[in-house]
Amino acid sequence: MIFQPAIIALLLAAGLSLAMLAVASPFALQLIRHWDLGSGSERQLRLERLTYLFSMMVALVCGLQVLSTLLFVFNADKMSVMFVGAMCAVGALNANVYGFPALYAQLVAFFFAATWLAINRLDNQARDYPLTRLKYRLLLAYAPLAAAVLYLQFNYFIRLEADVITSCCGSLFSEEADTVASEVSALAPARAMSVFYAMLGGAILLAVWHWKGAGRGLWSGLAVGTASVAAFFAALAGVVAFVSLYIYEHPNHHCPFCILKPEYGYQGYLLYLPLFAAAAAGLAAGVLSLFGGRPNLATLAPQASARLAGIAAAGFALFVLGASVMVLRSNLILIE
Amino acid sequence: MKPWIERQRHLIDFTAQSLARRKGKSLGLLVVYTLLVFVLASVALYTHALRNEATRVLAGTPEIVLQRLIAGRHDLVPPGYIEKIGRIRGVQKIEGRLWGYYYDSVLKANYTFMVATDREIAPGEIVVGPALERTRELSAGNGVSFRAYTGELHTFIVAEVLAHESELVSADLVLMNAADFRRFFAYPAGHHTDIALWVANPLEVRNVGVKLLDALPDSRPILREEVLRTYASIFDWREGMMLALLSAAILAFGIFAWEKAAGLSAEEKREIGILKAIGWETGDVIAMKFWEGFLVSLLAFLVGYVAAYVHVFHFEFALFAPVLKGWAVLYPSFALTPQIDGLQVATLFVFTVLPYTAATLVPIWRAATTDPDTVMRS
């Protein structure tokens, strides 16, 4: 099924990303070994010039990852009509063993890319590029990840066969099955709601606190990072445990993918876009607060961290607001 | 935030003016870029609309069609088969259908003769599809003769012409009375062409199919969802093939964009040199060049996409239609329902803007890191 336009586009994006990272990697090694801003040697000048090119290249790759993530989920949802038994993206992703790993790898790549972009931006703002070495170390770590994404996606798409009978979301997110997804599905709505609002509320408060404190506290920054990751998972669990039920107005349908479908007015995008943006921003806020101790970044890093924390707070708030409105507007009654 | 936006605004302003100064060069790139978007978007929009049309048309068809096979070939359903199926739970209606093909030597085309079950047609009368109306210049009240396969000539009166809206499925259709149909084709009495079954619950369709196979081992149930899936993959596959063929064009475009971006004129080099000499940083020049690419891409994408939209939905995809929609003597002429799909736009974006951006990366960097000193001296 490799001849689907969206699949070709995804593979093109993944292949191009890997190719660019592969070209950048030898340069990264050279830079890590010889980078010395104080020196005026010819090699240093050449390195300085080349950093512009490779920073641009990796920024393009990271932007591409953000687009690919969206395209991948969208495409999985569209492909579900091709498989017997599939009703939404879950069925398409379940069509072979590479489906879900490919999605997870894509998500990891997304968060990695977002963090890298934040570091890159901070580094470019400082006069002496203090984070260049770190940036290129991260780039070296990124290349294998990009290779994994391409490998998993290629295997997933090349092995797709239309006559495979897959399972639909009803069986993966049922309350009886023996998986994490089903454990989450089986959570009592009242308990799930309290965990959901506590975690997200906590993350929002922490982010606002860090933002108000102009991002100066290292600990508050790290707390925002950790809380964002925790809130991200709590949010996903909440969507599975109760938000989806209210959207479908059905007490047993827990699928977090069907809410992306036109039948439900694409409401899922209203939830996931702010959630992912907020989680990525919160994570980056945490990472950037680590650099506040460096003399050249003493003012810039907290500034950037605070701004990202503000974005994270706004994103999480938007997500909670959206989810709450969807729950309140629903005709389903779960809790008397 | 405010100064950042101000800065970008001035950069965009500067870029737009510098693009306008070099009209010839920018226009060449823009035309090629727009053409590429136009071709790709046409293909994407057209297949998407066709896919939707197929889904829409098939929505009214029976869930299961049962054919009888002899030695793997489709054969007539003998009397007693419908009774043998009996009552299967979940089946709303069972109906034996009568239809066949007739080759008209006048037009050198095939018609589909069918017995209408949802309407009464008087003996000796027929109802014809719009393509027949056009090609044989028939209208209500006219008489028309067909030479049957037995050699005798049968004359029918056209009672009605089917509405144009249904042309995609009814272009070559001739509807008639069951007795007329049997007499015309000398069809064995009590036999049917196939059996249609309507199933209410979509989740039950497969089970009904399995039960049918148990009851009638010499038959083949064809499910509507299978037909739909086949259509979807055929259109996707055709689109993918077309894109694969066009990948050469995308590659050529990439090379073209590289060349255009790399071939900086002496004047442009001098411009960059002066900018750097008066205090622009490498980052600023890169930002300017980025905006240049962005503006060109945006313009080409919008113009190309709108042109493709007009091409597909107002000019019926005149340029590439034969490749994608197939061919027939009595081809239905039909208008597609305009529809824009987010996935398709995103895909198109990856196919056009991404190669352009990737190809111009190195040239942009080269231009931005040129030494003002060397440029102005040369």
Side-chain angles (χ1 to χ4, degrees):
Chain A
M1 245 190 246
I2 205 108
F3 269 134
Q4 302 264 350
I7 292 179
I8 303 177
L10 274 169
L11 290 177
L12 183 74
L16 206 62
S17 298
L18 183 60
M20 287 201 266
L21 288 174
V23 171
S25 291
F27 169 74
L29 279 175
Q30 223 180 55
L31 183 134
I32 291 166
R33 276 180 36 210
H34 303 298
W35 181 259
D36 173 17
L37 207 68
S39 150
S41 69
E42 205 172 315
R43 178 162 63 196
Q44 175 61 21
L45 286 180
R46 202 173 53 85
L47 285 179
E48 278 174 30
R49 269 191 185 176
L50 278 168
T51 48
Y52 281 109
L53 175 64
F54 289 108
S55 296
M56 224 164 38
M57 221 178 230
V58 182
L60 176 66
V61 169
C62 291
L64 209 53
Q65 287 307 323
V66 178
L67 182 72
S68 290
T69 308
L70 213 64
L71 200 60
F72 188 81
V73 175
F74 210 171
N75 178 52
D77 187 48
K78 275 282 152 81
M79 276 198 316
S80 57
V81 288
M82 309 260 178
F83 301 99
V84 179
M87 289 174 77
C88 68
V90 173
L93 290 172
N94 248 337
N96 64 40
V97 290
Y98 290 98
F100 273 102
L103 175 68
Y104 297 144
Q106 185 66 59
L107 290 183
V108 172
F110 166 77
F111 284 113
F112 200 106
T115 313
W116 194 92
L117 283 174
I119 296 176
N120 182 42
R121 198 173 139 70
L122 178 64
D123 184 46
N124 284 344
Q125 280 172 339
R127 281 279 140 207
D128 57 347
Y129 307 105
L131 299 175
T132 303
R133 269 221 172 78
L134 174 78
K135 246 167 52 179
Y136 283 89
R137 283 212 187 94
L138 285 176
L139 187 148
L140 284 182
Y142 193 14
L145 181 61
V149 168
L150 180 63
Y151 172 80
L152 288 170
Q153 283 193 3
F154 183 76
N155 271 297
Y156 170 53
F157 289 130
I158 200 98
R159 282 160 211 261
L160 275 183
E161 275 165 36
D163 53 357
V164 170
I165 297 182
T166 78
S167 51
C168 98
C169 47
S171 61
L172 184 64
F173 292 96
S174 73
E175 289 160 20
E176 289 86 31
D178 195 21
T179 58
V180 182
S182 61
E183 302 239 328
V184 174
S185 308
L187 274 180
R191 239 185 90 204
M193 261 186 221
S194 52
V195 171
F196 176 84
Y197 282 106
M199 291 295 263
L200 279 154
I204 293 171
L205 284 180
L206 274 173
V208 169
W209 175 46
H210 186 62
W211 177 53
K212 281 279 167 205
R216 263 187 289 279
L218 170 63
W219 289 111
S220 66
L222 289 181
V224 170
T226 323
S228 297
V229 175
F232 176 69
F233 286 108
L236 291 184
V239 168
V240 171
F242 71 95
V243 178
S244 56
L245 300 183
Y246 281 108
I247 295 177
Y248 307 130
E249 303 191 340
H250 184 300
N252 290 312
H253 192 34
H254 286 283
C255 181
F257 289 94
C258 287
I259 53 175
L260 298 170
K261 288 181 129 349
E263 291 94 297
Y264 302 105
Y266 301 108
Q267 292 182 65
Y269 291 102
L270 284 181
L271 293 179
Y272 290 138
L273 291 181
L275 177 64
F276 275 76
L283 184 66
V287 171
L288 290 195
S289 68
L290 288 173
F291 310 127
R294 301 194 182 205
N296 300 316
L297 292 171
T299 50
L300 283 172
Q303 245 176 33
S305 176
R307 197 165 44 226
L308 285 168
I311 295 174
F316 280 129
L318 218 63
F319 169 77
V320 171
L321 192 71
S324 306
V325 167
M326 284 168 199
V327 168
L328 289 176
R329 266 186 26 196
S330 167
N331 294 316
L332 180 75
I333 299 168
L334 273 183
I335 304 167
E336 296 275 351
Chain B
M1 211 61 181
K2 198 86 186 293
W4 186 84
I5 293 175
E6 268 306 289
R7 208 175 96 96
Q8 302 306 321
R9 209 174 65 83
H10 287 305
L11 273 174
I12 294 172
D13 220 30
F14 182 86
T15 313
Q17 275 175 13
S18 104
L19 274 176
R21 267 201 306 280
R22 290 174 276 123
K23 271 197 198 77
K25 192 180 163 183
S26 325
L27 211 64
L29 176 67
L30 198 65
V31 167
V32 175
Y33 203 159
T34 309
L35 261 178
L36 182 77
V37 175
F38 167 74
V39 172
L40 293 176
S42 295
V43 173
L45 279 172
Y46 189 72
T47 36
H48 186 65
L50 269 188
R51 223 176 354 238
N52 278 324
E53 206 68 15
T55 315
R56 216 165 54 83
V57 163
L58 286 172
T61 57
E63 276 76 15
I64 302 177
V65 169
L66 190 76
Q67 292 181 341
R68 182 176 174 236
L69 298 181
I70 287 186
R73 307 286 294 175
H74 178 199
D75 202 66
L76 301 187
V77 178
Y81 260 52
I82 298 179
E83 291 72 33
K84 225 190 270 178
I85 294 172
R87 269 206 52 71
I88 295 179
R89 195 168 300 173
V91 177
Q92 285 180 311
K93 195 165 79 169
I94 304 182
E95 214 171 65
R97 301 197 302 183
L98 283 171
W99 57 269
Y101 295 128
Y102 171 75
Y103 178 73
D104 183 5
S105 49
V106 180
L107 280 183
K108 300 191 171 40
N110 270 309
Y111 304 155
T112 306
F113 275 34
M114 194 169 184
V115 173
T117 48
D118 54 348
R119 63 161 86 204
E120 280 297 317
I121 298 173
E125 289 189 348
I126 53 171
V127 173
V128 298
L132 250 98
E133 178 195 19
R134 270 200 309 274
T135 47
R136 289 201 64 162
E137 288 167 7
L138 294 176
S139 59
N142 287 11
V144 60
S145 305
F146 297 118
R147 181 181 293 279
Y149 292 129
T150 49
E152 18 172 335
L153 212 60
H154 292 250
T155 306
F156 297 99
I157 305 290
V158 177
E160 194 189 330
V161 178
L162 289 167
H164 183 77
E165 286 80 63
S166 62
E167 178 152 358
L168 196 56
V169 278
S170 68
D172 61 350
L173 200 62
V174 176
L175 293 175
M176 53 174 60
N177 183 293
D180 283 345
F181 182 88
R182 287 186 191 277
R183 196 165 50 248
F184 185 79
F185 284 113
Y187 218 78
H191 283 64
H192 289 283
T193 315
D194 53 23
I195 301 173
L197 295 97
W198 280 264
V199 182
N201 182 353
L203 297 175
E204 275 297 306
V205 172
R206 297 212 138 242
N207 294 335
V208 173
V210 172
K211 282 183 188 166
L212 285 174
L213 270 181
D214 282 342
L216 302 168
D218 63 344
S219 67
R220 171 173 68 174
I222 300 168
L223 310 186
R224 184 174 74 195
E225 51 175 291
E226 285 173 352
V227 178
L228 260 174
R229 206 170 311 130
T230 312
Y231 269 118
S233 26
I234 284 178
F235 289 137
D236 278 356
W237 185 80
R238 278 186 181 172
E239 187 186 3
M241 278 311 262
M242 192 113 177
L243 284 182
L245 291 177
L246 286 173
S247 63
I250 297 174
L251 199 67
F253 170 69
I255 297 169
F256 178 77
W258 173 296
E259 279 296 307
K260 275 275 175 190
L264 282 183
S265 62
E267 196 191 336
E268 276 174 282
K269 273 190 191 147
R270 220 165 55 101
E271 187 184 306
I272 292 171
I274 293 170
L275 286 175
K276 291 189 87 172
I278 59 170
W280 282 44
E281 286 175 25
T282 306
D284 298 326
V285 181
I286 288 179
M288 177 190 86
K289 285 278 166 191
F290 160 79
W291 281 118
E292 186 181 304
F294 179 82
L295 289 178
V296 169
S297 294
L298 188 73
L299 200 59
F301 199 81
L302 283 179
V303 174
Y305 199 82
V306 170
Y309 186 92
V310 173
H311 172 215
V312 169
F313 296 117
H314 293 278
F315 296 102
E316 297 181 344
F317 197 55
L319 293 179
F320 314 106
V323 188
L324 283 172
K325 72 176 180 186
W327 172 92
V329 174
L330 290 183
Y331 204 85
S333 76
F334 52 91
L336 293 163
T337 325
Q339 217 160 15
I340 294 177
D341 178 52
L343 178 67
Q344 219 125 47
V345 177
T347 308
L348 201 62
F349 186 83
V350 173
F351 275 119
T352 52
V353 177
L354 181 62
Y356 175 76
T357 317
T360 50
L361 218 52
V362 173
I364 285 179
W365 167 75
R366 278 238 176 86
T369 50
T370 39
D371 245 345
D373 177 55
T374 37
V375 176
M376 286 196 284
R377 235 183 258 268
S378 59

